[in-house]
């Protein structure tokens, strides 16, 4: 009899459910979008009930599509949009406020207060994070301020705080379990990643009552039983991780120094740094990767704001290509960019520059510059920006690298992957099944119930990798990258 793991992938715009078999193959997928609300400029909210309902629908849908009975499920894993914050009533399960989404800027004023008190270093030392409205703690503060009587009720233990994983776990178990795990806890601004406990200093800085916090557990192991009411039979919830950490796990980056890059609208890079946290000198985040068998592993995290979005700009802003995939043929039609560099600093520059005033530049133009050169420069910018972050990670962690694992929509571009390998001087490895985030959740859940014995067993269940080997001479690599750094200089401190 075939047995499966069900992965729930609760994302920012849709809820997905995927079934994995023992060989790591995707048997079926189901997916439902849900509403986004923008009550004020810069604010983004979700209806927690809609998150749950769309997720449940996808879970039921995927079983139906695959014709798999709930009795054939060994376990269920959850991966989720990180940092998004829900507060609900412990008894009734009713949310007291819409979920505040990770992107939402509505707690900026609360961040200003923390900064005004000079807490930046303290926050970084305890949580590995920077003071920013992204993280859940200030969002929870916002909700407690916005809803009358909420602070008192939270202090009395009547309310639950949770990231989306906790919310789904609570719903799946019909209110029996209020828990989370290390990767999600480490995105709250409330968790001490070194001592591995809710941080009293941060709780008091934000006046968050401890009574509302979930219990923090290992990322793999039984969290609770999903009620038979939902899928027609009970299923153990046995693995949870936030989306980026799940992708790191799903990519099999189990050893320190292993890293992955997700090429989507932006790029998300995470490097496993093993049992020791690395402190960044370049504004990268230190985070918990996961906890397994009572031990935690740490990761360094950095992102590139504009990656696939640069390709969208070539398409929609300039009309140079009809669709994203066409960028590959255009780039290949010329031997190089003819000295052209695009620095897509449309919204400023992130790690390692952190320059809000930077703006995009296109430099090195000559009469010989054509559309293909500019498209190629756009793709190359994704690889150069990723190298900026990788170099910062290597410097911060003091680790050497042997390869880069890739996923995300734009990693299907072979030209880009080859150029990435060339400019890093590293092998780029692309898995056949690109559903690595859901696979990470499935893997944690499957390990939790012994469906896969250990990480080696998981690796064995992985399909073949497409490898891109660096083929550029060292001099050429250095000189291309040096000119990229010069182009970045031209983009700096431009806006008033
Ligand atoms: P997200 O999850 O951030 O929405 P996806 O992983 O779906 O992103 O990837 C979509 C992004 O990748 C878009 O910005 C798109 O421009 C880019 N993209 C998709 N396919 C290609 C391609 N073949 N070459 C270059 N960029 C691509």
């Amino acid at each position: 009899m075939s047995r499966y793991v069900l992965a729930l992938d609760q994302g920012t715009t849709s809820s997905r459910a995927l079934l994995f078999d023992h060989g790591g193959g995707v048997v079926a997928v189901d997916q439902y979008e849900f509403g986004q609300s923008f009550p004020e400029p810069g604010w983004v909210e979700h209806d927690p009930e809609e998150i749950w309902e769309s997720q449940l629908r996808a879970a039921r849908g995927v079983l139906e599509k695959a014709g798999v009975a709930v009795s054939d499920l060994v376990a269920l894993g959850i991966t989720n949009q990180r940092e998004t914050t829900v507060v609900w009533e412990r008894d009734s399960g009713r949310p007291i406020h819409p979920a505040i989404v990770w992107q939402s800027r509505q707690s900026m004023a609360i961040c200003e207060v923390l900064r005004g008190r000079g807490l930046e270093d303290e926050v970084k030392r305890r949580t590995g994070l920077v003071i920013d409205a992204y993280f859940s703690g200030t969002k929870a503060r916002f909700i407690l301020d916005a809803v009358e009587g909420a602070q008192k009720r939270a202090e009395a233990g009547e309310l639950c705080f949770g990231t989306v994983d906790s919310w789904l776990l609570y719903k799946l178990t019909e209110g029996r379990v209020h828990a989370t795990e290390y990767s999600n806890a480490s995105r709250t601004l409330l968790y001490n990643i070194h001592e591995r406990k809710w941080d009293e200093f941060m709780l008091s800085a934000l006046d968050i009552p401890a009574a509302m916090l979930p219990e923090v557990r290992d990322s793999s192991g039984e969290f609770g039983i999903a009620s038979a009411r939902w899928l027609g039979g009970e299923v153990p919830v046995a693995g949870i991780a936030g989306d980026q950490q799940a992708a790191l796990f799903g990519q099999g980056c189990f050893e320190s120094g292993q890293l992955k890059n997700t090429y989507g609208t932006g790029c998300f890079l995470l490097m496993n740094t093993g049992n020791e946290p690395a402190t960044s000198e370049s504004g990268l985040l230190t985070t918990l990767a996961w906890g397994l068998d009572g031990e935690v592993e740490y990761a360094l995290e950095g992102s590139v704001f504009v990656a696939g979005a640069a390709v969208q700009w070539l398409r929609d802003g300039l009309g140079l290509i009809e669709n994203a995939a066409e960028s590959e043929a255009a780039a290949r039609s010329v031997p190089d960019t003819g000295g052209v560099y695009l620095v897509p600093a449309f919204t400023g520059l992130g790690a390692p520059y952190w320059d809000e005033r930077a703006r995009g530049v296109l430099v090195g133009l000559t009469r010989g510059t054509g559309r293909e050169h500019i498209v190629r420069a756009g793709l190359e910018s994704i690889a150069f920006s990723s190298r900026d972050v990788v170099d910062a990670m290597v410097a911060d962690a003091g680790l050497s690298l042997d390869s880069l694992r890739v996923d995300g929509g734009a990693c299907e571009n072979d030209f880009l992957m080859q150029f990435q390998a060339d400019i890093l001087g590293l092998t780029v490895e692309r898995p056949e099944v690109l559903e690595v985030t859901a696979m990470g959740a499935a893997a944690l859940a499957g390990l939790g119930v012994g469906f896969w014995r250990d990480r080696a067993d998981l690796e064995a269940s992985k399909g073949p990798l497409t490898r891109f080997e660096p083929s550029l001479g060292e001099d050429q690599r250095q000189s291309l990258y040096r000119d990229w750094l010069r182009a970045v200089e031209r983009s700096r401190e431009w806006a008033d």
Side-chain angles (χ1 to χ4, degrees):
M1 190 179 63
S2 298
R3 323 248 13 220
Y4 306 92
V5 181
L6 174 61
L8 307 184
D9 179 3
Q10 207 302 304
T12 310
T13 56
S14 72
S15 296
R16 309 171 71 227
L18 297 89
L19 273 182
F20 287 89
D21 60 24
H22 192 263
V26 178
V27 179
V29 184
D30 201 21
Q31 172 167 2
Y32 296 97
E33 290 195 3
F34 56 87
Q36 311 283 320
S37 103
F38 309 101
E40 289 195 33
W43 295 25
V44 191
E45 295 181 344
H46 292 159
D47 174 356
E49 295 291 3
E50 218 188 320
I51 289 181
W52 158 244
E53 282 155 17
S54 57
Q55 191 60 76
L56 178 61
R57 201 165 149 214
R60 287 174 171 158
V62 78
L63 292 176
E64 198 175 304
K65 273 191 181 177
V68 163
V70 68
S71 52
D72 294 335
L73 296 180
V74 292
L76 177 165
I78 301 172
T79 180
N80 57 290
Q81 52 167 322
R82 301 179 306 171
E83 295 120 10
T84 297
T85 301
V86 188
V87 177
W88 67 92
E89 292 177 344
R90 191 178 298 279
D91 285 344
S92 72
R94 251 197 319 270
I96 64 162
H97 191 275
I100 301 184
V101 179
W102 58 275
Q103 301 144 320
S104 190
R105 309 311 292 165
Q106 72 213 75
S107 57
M108 258 165 60
I110 298 168
C111 294
E112 267 319 309
V113 173
L114 295 180
R115 273 191 221 105
R117 288 168 58 191
L119 295 183
E120 268 139 327
D121 288 346
E122 196 76 12
V123 166
K124 184 175 170 194
R125 204 169 56 71
R126 292 167 183 274
T127 68
L129 304 175
V130 296
I131 299 174
D132 191 282
Y134 273 135
F135 306 109
S136 318
T138 62
K139 297 182 194 292
R141 182 66 259 151
F142 183 96
I143 294 174
L144 293 178
D145 288 339
V147 180
E148 213 186 306
Q151 181 74 20
K152 283 236 147 51
R153 298 188 66 198
E155 282 164 11
E158 293 169 24
L159 300 180
C160 296
F161 154 88
T163 39
V164 170
D165 57 308
S166 282
W167 167 241
L168 293 177
L169 179 63
Y170 176 94
K171 294 297 279 186
L172 284 165
T173 60
E174 294 194 271
R176 286 188 302 274
V177 184
H178 181 214
T180 186
E181 50 68 61
Y182 293 114
S183 75
N184 275 295
S186 71
R187 315 300 297 185
T188 59
L189 212 69
L190 303 174
Y191 196 71
N192 190 310
I193 60 170
H194 308 286
E195 295 171 14
R196 287 200 257 156
K197 57 179 191 78
W198 294 113
D199 190 281
E200 273 163 34
F201 179 88
M202 290 307 305
L203 293 181
S204 124
L206 282 162
D207 199 13
I208 303 288
M212 76 187 306
L213 301 172
E215 181 191 334
V216 182
R217 303 191 186 164
D218 267 356
S219 314
S220 182
E222 195 166 303
F223 286 86
I225 302 285
S227 206
R229 182 174 162 197
W230 307 128
L231 299 176
E234 294 188 336
V235 188
V237 182
I240 300 180
D243 53 13
Q244 294 304 321
Q245 285 94 331
L248 189 70
F249 200 79
Q251 283 279 21
C253 294
F254 301 142
E255 306 289 329
S256 72
Q258 290 187 316
L259 90 152
K260 70 94 191 171
N261 192 3
T262 303
Y263 298 80
T265 309
C267 280
F268 263 106
L269 292 104
L270 261 78
M271 178 199 266
N272 184 328
T273 63
N275 301 122
E276 293 299 325
T279 303
S280 177
E281 302 297 325
S282 346
L284 302 175
L285 304 176
T286 308
T287 202
L288 283 159
W290 46 71
L292 279 174
D293 303 323
E295 283 208 21
V296 296
E297 280 166 56
Y298 292 87
L300 270 177
E301 173 172 325
S303 58
V304 173
F305 299 153
V306 177
V311 179
Q312 289 168 19
W313 178 70
L314 295 171
R315 185 192 61 194
D316 307 334
L318 298 186
L320 295 184
I321 45 174
E322 292 262 321
N323 56 60
E326 202 188 294
S327 62
E328 176 158 0
R332 283 189 195 281
S333 72
V334 286
D336 53 44
T337 66
V340 174
Y341 284 82
L342 171 66
V343 183
F346 303 142
T347 54
L349 286 169
Y353 307 105
W354 298 110
D355 183 350
E356 288 181 349
R357 291 174 54 213
R359 287 297 176 271
V361 293
L362 190 58
V363 290
L365 302 177
T366 66
R367 271 302 297 273
T369 302
R371 153 189 177 267
E372 297 80 6
H373 298 106
I374 294 174
V375 172
R376 183 169 172 132
L379 287 179
E380 290 188 356
S381 76
I382 302 173
F384 285 127
S385 311
S386 296
R387 168 154 172 195
D388 289 341
V389 176
V390 171
D391 283 5
M393 285 180 163
V394 168
D396 287 336
L399 294 165
S400 62
L401 307 175
D402 56 3
S403 68
L404 172 72
R405 302 249 170 129
V406 299
D407 56 85
C411 89
E412 312 226 24
N413 188 312
D414 286 0
F415 167 80
L416 173 59
M417 292 302 105
Q418 182 57 49
F419 191 75
Q420 185 72 83
D422 285 340
I423 216 62
L424 282 170
L426 275 183
T427 305
V428 166
E429 297 177 325
R430 182 176 64 198
E432 196 161 71
V433 177
L434 287 173
E435 296 282 6
V436 295
T437 306
M439 180 59 202
L444 288 165
L447 282 175
V449 295
F451 185 56
W452 289 292
R453 273 192 317 278
D454 50 26
R455 299 184 197 191
D457 192 20
L458 265 177
E459 274 293 84
S461 75
K462 269 252 234 339
L465 295 167
T466 303
R467 289 199 165 75
F468 299 87
E469 301 292 347
S471 62
L472 212 59
E474 187 57 28
D475 286 352
Q476 221 184 335
R477 180 186 2 270
Q478 299 283 11
S479 110
L480 282 170
Y481 188 63
R482 213 173 317 120
D483 281 345
W484 162 257
L485 296 177
R486 289 174 59 219
V488 169
E489 279 312 307
R490 299 290 192 279
S491 77
R492 308 279 312 258
E493 295 177 8
W494 180 259
D496 288 333

